[in-house]
Amino acid sequence: MSITTTQDRDAQRSLARLLPRLEQEFAAQTDAPVWDAFRRRLDEHFPRLFHLLRELYGDQYDFFYHLERTLALAAQSWLDRPADLKVQDAQREANPTWFQSEQMLGGVCYVDLFAGDLDKLRTKIPYFQELGLTYLHLMPLFRAPEGDNDGGYAVSDYREVDPRLGTMDDLRTLAQELRGAGISLVLDFICNHTSDEHCWALAARAGDPEYADYYFLFPDRTMPDAYERTLREIFPDKHPGAFTYRAEIGQWVWTTFNVFQWDLNYRNPLTFREMAGEMLYLANLGTEVLRFDALAFMWKELGTVCESLPKVHTLVQAFNALLRIAAPSLLFKSEAIVHPDEVARYISAGECQLSYNPLLMALLWNSLATREVRLLRQSMDHRFQIADDCAWVNYVRCHDDIGWTFDDGDAAALGINGYDHRRFLNAFYTGRFAGSFARGLPFQENPRTGDARISGMLASLAGLEAALHGNDGAEIELAVRRICLLHAIILSIGGIPLFYLNDEIGLLNDYSYVDDPAKAGDSRWVHRPATDWARMERRHDSATLEGRIYGRLRHLIQVRKATRAFAGNRMQVINVGSDHIFGYVRTGPEGQRAVVLANFSERPQSLHPNEVRLYGLGYQFRDLVEDRALALGEQTLTLEPYQVMWLTAE
Ligand code: GLC
Ligand code: GLC
């Protein structure tokens, strides 16, 4: 966004008008240095905030009133911000790319499934430290409707913890203890919708027109039909289209996801202000990263797909600008599981500093299925690079399904038909394809379009379930290697590696979800198992399967953390002359180099050492994974089945 001089002048004028009132309301309550810090950031970021909000709400008659109340919210939030978080703000303002360190390692889990409740989760901090986590995403833990609540993504109150998990005070204590242990707490900012039991929805259901305007309600099918002409169905299994009829109010409600998740109407400036309040509340709780859930859907316009519209970016940037003023160390992570061109548009210091990397995730699975890296190599070559002050969050599995979000043009350039190839991948990962090692389930299979996505635990998708079932030692070893291979990529490619906790001991699919009526209709529960602590205890015993997987992953983590070349996000894809080997060069902040080679096939692959020498490694190099020196003359370099090498110059 660029701000012209006139716009800047408008912003200065508005600030001059609003400041006296703010000072009157807040400056007197606080010490001069605290207020001065706020003033300084207001001077710096207000012009941007003003410009963004004017773009969204400038046509409202009460625009200035809302602007004033938004600044008042920011001021109050800053005054309330705990001192230790203010210290952290200052540290991170001085070191804004702290999250690019090679020390970073993320983990994600459900509080109840991993530990029981918040209090018990605290007792797992030593485990998180042992694993090396510096970032912990706790899946939604707010009050939500009983029964199906989309895994907590239908929030009834952003300021209340699900009573089964504990209280807000427990969460605050946990955040503090995590911070003390060097672990940043990551929570969701579920901004696209609330549950139909949120007090705003309850008021709308009771007929209050002010609250009806927080959502999209229509008296008949005219508008829903008009919108649906251009919308994609997100959960076609659950309900066709994007609207749900509520007989109690005789209205059609916009529900992109489940019938009980009501989309919020951000055309209403009050909705923005209320949600900004919830965001700042989460910030002051000690959250260090907010995962911006389903953000692509936040703005709707008739005649469009209503995904990733320009105003979505304006909205996210406005939330970002507000944070820079009131809680500057907080980061946004974008959860846009959409076309890669669109994913990239959310990533910038002024919008989301972090983003899931769904393309890498999907293409890693693609390469495992095809034993070929062409699409991965070609796509990463032109799609991995993002701004220097941002970072990918690279993951292999998460709580959601796998969608095949690669670009059809990228595929076509290699002679691959995107539609057919997705069908193949779905057949492969559901195990329907003859010879497939994977045991996944289809998710939201759409008979009309032939679309489907994939559910399944990493270990089951990587072949461990089938191999154990067949009691086949060689296949078990191959599956373990696949698990390590995928992790070795996310640990080295650049950005924050994110582990889906329980994958580190290779937990398999949990089919028991079908017995729970609240879960039976959603196959994603197959990959949301409860942590089996008896199995977890076996992680140090290399004679057990858990120990084999954990030991190798733990080793990779330690090596990553000791390798400066893995910091930052400078990565160059290389073609080493084999379509089975994914290769790239990493360059660290001080110029340190590492070459990564990963064999995606179950056969050994050889290459000429010149292929890697070219990248500045010379004749003597060391594989950091096996801690082995390789002095190569002319003899070939061989990668064993699924082997990954992290090479540096000796
Ligand atoms: C996000 C979550 C997903 C949820 C959806 C609706 O995509 O990851 O689990 O179903 O948002 O909130
Ligand atoms: C959620 C859903 C995923 C869908 C995505 C769309 O992440 O789980 O299946 O593709 O939203 O953004």
Side-chain angles (χ1 to χ4, degrees):
M1 186 195 62
S2 65
I3 299 177
T4 65
T5 334
T6 333
Q7 283 166 343
D8 202 36
R9 223 179 295 124
D10 286 353
Q12 301 305 348
R13 228 182 275 134
S14 314
L15 188 57
R17 225 170 91 190
L18 295 170
L19 257 178
R21 292 211 225 164
L22 282 180
E23 305 224 304
Q24 196 184 9
E25 193 173 339
F26 299 101
Q29 301 177 33
T30 186
D31 300 342
V34 173
W35 185 252
D36 290 348
F38 182 75
R39 271 301 310 271
R40 187 171 35 80
R41 291 202 308 272
L42 198 58
D43 285 339
E44 188 180 344
H45 300 285
F46 179 79
R48 192 164 75 95
L49 179 67
F50 174 76
H51 174 69
L52 293 162
L53 289 178
R54 197 164 60 170
E55 199 176 311
L56 292 165
Y57 306 116
D59 57 351
Q60 306 266 344
Y61 75 95
D62 53 356
F63 171 68
F64 278 96
Y65 167 74
H66 285 294
L67 185 63
E68 186 205 297
R69 291 334 296 160
T70 304
L71 291 190
L73 181 69
Q76 186 63 58
S77 170
W78 174 249
L79 299 198
D80 294 344
R81 192 156 170 81
D84 53 342
L85 295 179
K86 288 190 173 118
V87 170
Q88 179 171 282
D89 289 333
Q91 285 165 351
R92 298 215 167 137
E93 275 182 308
N95 178 21
T97 52
W98 61 276
F99 51 81
Q100 293 191 338
S101 160
E102 71 284 4
Q103 300 303 318
M104 288 296 290
L105 179 72
V108 49
C109 67
Y110 287 90
V111 174
D112 54 343
L113 296 173
F114 195 78
D117 60 26
L118 287 168
D119 218 34
K120 297 203 186 83
L121 195 79
R122 275 168 50 209
T123 67
K124 306 299 182 197
I125 292 177
Y127 173 69
F128 299 140
Q129 287 179 298
E130 173 195 309
L131 189 59
L133 296 191
T134 61
Y135 160 125
L136 180 67
H137 173 204
L138 297 180
M139 294 298 292
L141 38 70
F142 306 103
R143 188 158 68 73
E146 278 291 319
D148 187 3
N149 52 34
D150 193 21
Y153 281 101
V155 176
S156 299
D157 189 338
Y158 296 94
R159 300 189 188 213
E160 204 184 313
V161 167
D162 176 343
R164 280 166 300 198
L165 303 180
T167 63
M168 266 300 164
D169 281 336
D170 295 336
L171 184 55
R172 205 168 281 118
T173 309
L174 177 68
Q176 250 163 20
E177 285 192 19
L178 285 171
R179 198 160 49 252
I183 303 173
S184 302
L185 175 65
V186 184
L187 291 179
D188 280 272
F189 183 39
I190 302 163
C191 50
N192 179 67
H193 42 256
T194 70
S195 86
D196 59 356
E197 294 180 9
H198 190 283
C199 63
W200 307 334
L202 291 178
R205 285 165 62 183
D208 184 333
E210 188 183 330
Y211 286 96
D213 204 29
Y214 278 45
Y215 301 96
F216 296 92
L217 305 184
F218 303 101
D220 55 43
R221 283 290 311 176
T222 318
M223 289 314 289
D225 285 341
Y227 277 114
E228 272 177 5
R229 259 174 238 131
T230 49
L231 293 181
R232 176 168 81 102
E233 285 175 312
I234 305 302
F235 284 174
D237 278 7
K238 301 266 184 87
H239 68 107
F243 298 86
T244 303
Y245 184 68
R246 295 295 292 232
E248 51 186 324
I249 42 173
Q251 306 260 353
W252 289 88
V253 186
W254 199 313
T255 55
T256 298
F257 293 90
N258 288 289
V259 297
F260 49 81
Q261 284 163 305
W262 288 23
D263 286 49
L264 284 164
N265 170 18
Y266 281 97
R267 275 176 197 269
N268 178 352
L270 254 181
T271 310
F272 175 84
R273 216 157 33 85
E274 293 272 18
M275 286 305 288
E278 305 309 271
M279 171 183 81
L280 293 174
Y281 176 83
L282 294 176
N284 282 354
L285 195 67
T287 314
E288 298 182 33
V289 178
L290 280 178
R291 172 190 181 277
F292 228 118
D293 179 64
L295 78 183
F297 300 88
M298 283 166 71
W299 194 270
K300 341 272 191 198
E301 310 248 358
L302 193 61
T304 73
V305 288
C306 298
E307 283 183 52
S308 298
L309 295 181
K311 290 266 173 69
V312 171
H313 296 283
T314 316
L315 261 177
V316 180
Q317 288 169 17
F319 281 121
N320 175 308
L322 204 51
L323 277 183
R324 300 284 75 75
I325 295 169
S329 59
L330 201 96
L331 301 177
F332 279 153
K333 175 171 83 153
S334 148
E335 192 247 351
I337 314 299
V338 290
H339 187 279
D341 289 345
E342 299 298 339
V343 173
R345 291 200 180 102
Y346 291 97
I347 307 171
S348 71
E351 198 165 335
C352 295
Q353 300 89 344
L354 308 177
S355 167
Y356 277 111
N357 193 344
L359 183 63
L360 174 68
M361 183 277 292
L363 291 180
L364 288 174
W365 289 107
N366 172 57
S367 291
L368 267 197
T370 59
R371 281 78 163 170
E372 252 196 28
V373 303
R374 290 188 310 148
L375 189 53
L376 176 63
R377 186 162 64 206
Q378 191 246 35
S379 303
M380 288 305 125
D381 187 47
H382 71 119
R383 295 185 182 280
F384 189 85
Q385 210 53 55
I386 51 173
D388 284 343
D389 48 6
C390 294
W392 287 114
V393 174
N394 298 307
Y395 65 116
V396 181
R397 282 302 290 121
C398 71
H399 69 289
D400 276 333
D401 46 290
I402 303 175
W404 308 111
T405 58
F406 58 83
D407 172 62
D408 281 7
D410 288 350
L414 299 170
I416 300 168
N417 174 302
Y419 180 81
D420 293 344
H421 194 61
R422 289 189 182 88
R423 298 207 88 151
F424 158 72
L425 289 168
N426 284 326
F428 188 91
Y429 281 108
T430 50
R432 294 172 190 163
F433 185 84
S436 166
F437 50 71
R439 293 292 175 266
L441 295 178
F443 177 67
Q444 302 293 325
E445 213 163 11
N446 190 336
R448 260 193 324 104
T449 58
D451 253 0
R453 282 116 62 184
I454 293 294
S455 292
M457 284 297 279
L458 166 80
S460 294
L461 297 177
L464 192 58
E465 188 173 323
L468 286 170
H469 195 242
N471 199 12
D472 183 332
E475 281 298 323
I476 293 173
E477 173 60 19
L478 289 180
V480 171
R481 288 188 189 191
R482 289 188 196 103
I483 294 171
C484 295
L485 164 79
L486 298 182
H487 282 108
I489 305 287
I490 64 165
L491 283 164
S492 64
I493 197 163
I496 303 175
L498 175 63
F499 278 46
Y500 186 54
L501 295 180
N502 292 320
D503 279 346
E504 72 277 22
I505 56 161
L507 273 202
L508 301 176
N509 285 346
D510 174 5
Y511 297 97
S512 68
Y513 76 99
V514 295
D515 302 329
D516 181 342
K519 297 179 175 169
D522 189 334
S523 70
R524 290 176 298 174
W525 287 102
V526 82
H527 56 246
R528 298 171 182 173
T531 302
D532 179 341
W533 283 94
R535 294 190 51 188
M536 199 60 124
E537 294 310 321
R538 302 206 281 267
R539 69 187 181 276
H540 297 299
D541 179 355
S542 60
T544 65
L545 191 55
E546 294 80 11
R548 253 161 90 188
I549 298 172
Y550 184 83
R552 292 190 212 182
L553 293 178
R554 182 73 194 100
H555 172 66
L556 289 173
I557 291 169
Q558 276 164 339
V559 177
R560 167 196 158 84
K561 291 194 177 219
T563 307
R564 200 54 192 149
F566 292 153
N569 58 14
R570 278 167 73 193
M571 188 281 288
Q572 182 201 347
V573 174
I574 56 179
N575 185 337
V576 292
S578 159
D579 286 342
H580 305 292
I581 299 177
F582 183 40
Y584 48 87
V585 184
R586 288 301 321 281
T587 308
E590 295 87 26
Q592 307 86 337
R593 284 207 154 182
V595 173
V596 173
L597 300 175
N599 176 5
F600 274 79
S601 97
E602 64 266 72
R603 295 188 210 295
Q605 302 295 332
S606 295
L607 49 96
H608 194 275
N610 277 347
E611 299 284 359
V612 278
R613 260 179 218 143
L614 290 176
Y615 300 99
L617 289 190
Y619 282 81
Q620 305 274 340
F621 31 102
R622 173 167 291 277
D623 173 18
L624 300 175
V625 175
E626 295 198 344
D627 194 24
R628 196 157 60 97
L630 299 163
L632 289 178
E634 285 307 302
Q635 72 273 40
T636 56
L637 180 62
T638 300
L639 283 111
E640 294 306 316
Y642 298 123
Q643 186 179 357
V644 179
M645 289 183 173
W646 288 349
L647 302 172
T648 53
E650 266 290 50

